[in-house]
Amino acid sequence: MSKKKVAVVGYGGMGGWHVRNILASNVAELAGIWDISEQRRERAAEKELHVYTSLEDVLSDKSVDIITIATPNDHHMSIAIQAMEAGKNVICEKPVCMNSSELEKIIEASERTGKLFTVHQNRRWDCDYLMMKQVYASGELGEVFGVESRIQGSRGIPGDWRGHKEYGGGMILDWGVHLIDQMLRIVYDKKVEKLYCRCDHITNYEVDDGFKLDLYFEGDVTARIEVGTSHFVSMPRFYMTGTNGSAIINNWTENCRIVCCKNWDEKDVVPVVTAAGLTKTMAPRDEKTISESEIVRPTSDVHDFYRNVCKAVDGIEPQLVTHAQVMRVMKIMEAAFESDRLGQVIEIEDHLV
Ligand code: NAD
């Protein structure tokens, strides 16, 4: 398979990341970059990258197989549709676009032109997520009834376009899109029946600078997804609990710790003594009734995303991040905004994809 030529549109933080990864790739090579900012174009030229003179210049370059879009979110739809109509395959940064009606137009363009369109859900390669996915699928915890996924920072929402609605700012679209996508793949066998979301506006009134989203899956599984930008001590990255045990991942770098029950009946519970009295119900268990184990962080290479896209362009593999999966996440984000606006639980029609 020959290397695919990729042009990157939008050479900011994430565009730079794509450029570095494409330059190091064994499946793709860089055709060049385009950015509306002269300063960003000069920066690329200083690094001796090929700099296109306009979007049209990129689109008319017959050697380009794939366009990677890394602009702010409000430009994704227009660039994606123009690119596919010019015969290019498209990798689009997350969130795919601003809403589901924009996404319908993108999917229609992909089907009409026969060009591949996919979204850079790169956090499907995060080790913490992969460990949680493994624990759920293993059944080791018995019937899982709770999953929690949290990202908490302390610097507020970035002061760039992410702070403004018109560009697609806010934490649901920024981090929520990753955490929802991950959660739907962890609880891979259940549909979401309803959800409830509350947004934070601690440092920004225009967009959400954090949120708490509860997804109620069929079979009484509840997932809490929480993003915060005003937390000076963080809660664990992931927590999962079931009828037979619990699993925890404290941060981005640790292994997954699993504690399972090996003997439900415990005769000699030592009560916890508090100022207000004794409790046996909440007393910790000892090693006679529980067993502890760890999942070691798996090896993971995020460039497998590009490897898959290059093979999918040649029809050798199906694309990993599909239109239906991206639409499912978008519908959940829309329902989350609606729940926050109404202050109500929202019932949704979800499908396993
Ligand atoms: P950024 O502000 O650093 O960069 C955006 C760049 O796009 C800027 O250089 C800007 O001049 C340029 N631009 C704006 N409109 C353009 C247009 N019409 N045509 C060409 N260039 C244009 O933003 P960023 O942090 O790089 O985010 C870009 C995208 O990447 C967003 O969609 C964001 O959500 C996504 N992102 C994804 C991840 C991830 O982990 N997948 C991480 C960060 C950002």
Side-chain angles (χ1 to χ4, degrees):
M1 193 180 80
S2 60
K3 283 188 171 184
K4 297 282 171 278
K5 278 194 112 172
V6 187
V8 175
V9 174
Y11 184 57
M14 204 55 197
W17 185 95
H18 281 284
V19 164
R20 287 192 296 283
N21 277 266
I22 294 163
L23 288 174
S25 176
N26 56 358
V27 293
E29 61 185 292
L30 188 72
I33 70 98
W34 162 243
D35 196 295
I36 49 166
S37 152
E38 193 177 348
Q39 200 191 3
R40 299 305 306 174
R41 295 199 300 272
E42 282 171 6
R43 184 83 180 268
E46 280 163 19
K47 292 181 187 279
E48 298 182 353
L49 305 177
H50 173 66
V51 179
Y52 288 94
T53 55
S54 62
L55 180 61
E56 292 65 39
D57 190 20
V58 185
L59 300 183
S60 62
D61 182 346
K62 293 207 168 16
S63 75
V64 170
D65 301 300
I66 300 170
I67 291 181
T68 292
I69 303 170
T71 64
N73 307 335
D74 56 321
H75 289 276
H76 290 182
M77 177 185 71
S78 146
I79 298 170
I81 293 177
Q82 288 180 71
M84 287 187 279
E85 287 179 344
K88 308 301 182 195
N89 302 289
V90 173
I91 293 170
C92 185
E93 258 308 339
K94 52 48 56 173
V96 57
C97 53
M98 304 284 274
N99 51 51
S100 59
S101 59
E102 283 197 1
L103 180 52
E104 278 166 15
K105 292 182 189 139
I106 294 175
I107 292 172
E108 184 279 323
S110 172
E111 288 169 353
R112 172 165 45 83
T113 59
K115 290 292 141 188
L116 177 141
F117 175 84
T118 191
V119 178
H120 190 226
Q121 291 296 160
N122 50 328
R123 293 201 174 274
R124 288 191 190 180
W125 280 267
D126 275 0
C127 292
D128 44 39
Y129 151 73
L130 290 171
M131 289 188 284
M132 271 294 142
K133 199 166 177 304
Q134 186 182 326
V135 177
Y136 182 89
S138 74
E140 201 176 341
L141 305 186
E143 294 287 323
V144 169
F145 55 86
V147 191
E148 299 180 22
S149 170
R150 284 191 180 77
I151 301 285
Q152 294 175 324
S154 63
R155 294 181 173 80
I157 193 165
D160 57 7
W161 56 268
R162 284 176 178 76
H164 301 282
K165 226 181 180 63
E166 63 177 306
Y167 307 121
M171 280 294 141
I172 290 184
L173 289 172
D174 194 34
W175 270 99
V177 68
H178 283 303
L179 302 194
I180 295 166
D181 183 66
Q182 288 181 339
M183 191 61 80
L184 297 180
R185 305 186 71 71
I186 291 171
V187 189
Y188 66 94
D189 56 348
K190 294 188 169 50
K191 289 187 266 191
V192 178
E193 291 178 329
K194 51 195 177 177
L195 60 79
Y196 182 69
C197 182
R198 296 304 289 163
C199 290
D200 299 332
H201 296 277
I202 295 156
T203 58
N204 187 305
Y205 288 97
E206 194 179 325
V207 297
D208 63 294
D209 56 15
F211 65 90
K212 295 177 189 68
L213 168 63
D214 289 330
L215 300 178
Y216 303 100
F217 287 88
E218 58 186 345
D220 290 330
V221 179
T222 302
R224 155 70 56 116
I225 296 174
E226 199 171 325
V227 172
T229 52
S230 301
H231 295 264
F232 299 88
V233 175
S234 299
M235 290 172 76
R237 169 72 188 90
F238 270 114
Y239 180 74
M240 187 182 287
T241 198
T243 49
N244 193 47
S246 307
I248 192 163
I249 302 175
N250 280 310
N251 54 39
W252 304 100
T253 54
E254 274 182 22
N255 294 338
C256 175
R257 180 175 162 232
I258 300 176
V259 178
C260 281
C261 184
K262 62 180 182 190
N263 181 5
W264 184 261
D265 296 315
E266 201 181 14
K267 305 251 171 335
D268 313 314
V269 183
V270 180
V272 173
V273 183
T274 70
L278 304 178
T279 173
K280 279 191 175 182
T281 315
M282 299 303 167
R285 284 175 173 271
D286 61 25
E287 69 282 359
K288 279 185 253 158
T289 64
I290 52 169
S291 60
E292 288 215 29
S293 60
E294 264 195 352
I295 297 184
V296 178
R297 295 164 64 73
T299 50
S300 171
D301 182 357
V302 70
H303 202 61
D304 284 346
F305 173 82
Y306 267 94
R307 294 191 183 98
N308 168 254
V309 172
C310 292
K311 284 188 180 158
V313 164
D314 282 344
I316 299 170
E317 265 183 15
Q319 68 189 72
L320 284 175
V321 182
T322 68
H323 296 178
Q325 291 164 357
V326 173
M327 182 61 94
R328 190 180 177 207
V329 174
M330 178 58 85
K331 293 271 186 190
I332 286 177
M333 292 195 294
E334 282 183 342
F337 284 123
E338 185 68 352
S339 170
D340 178 62
R341 194 177 67 79
L342 298 173
Q344 284 175 9
V345 171
I346 304 280
E347 293 195 3
I348 62 167
E349 203 189 310
D350 188 30
H351 303 281
L352 295 181
V353 286

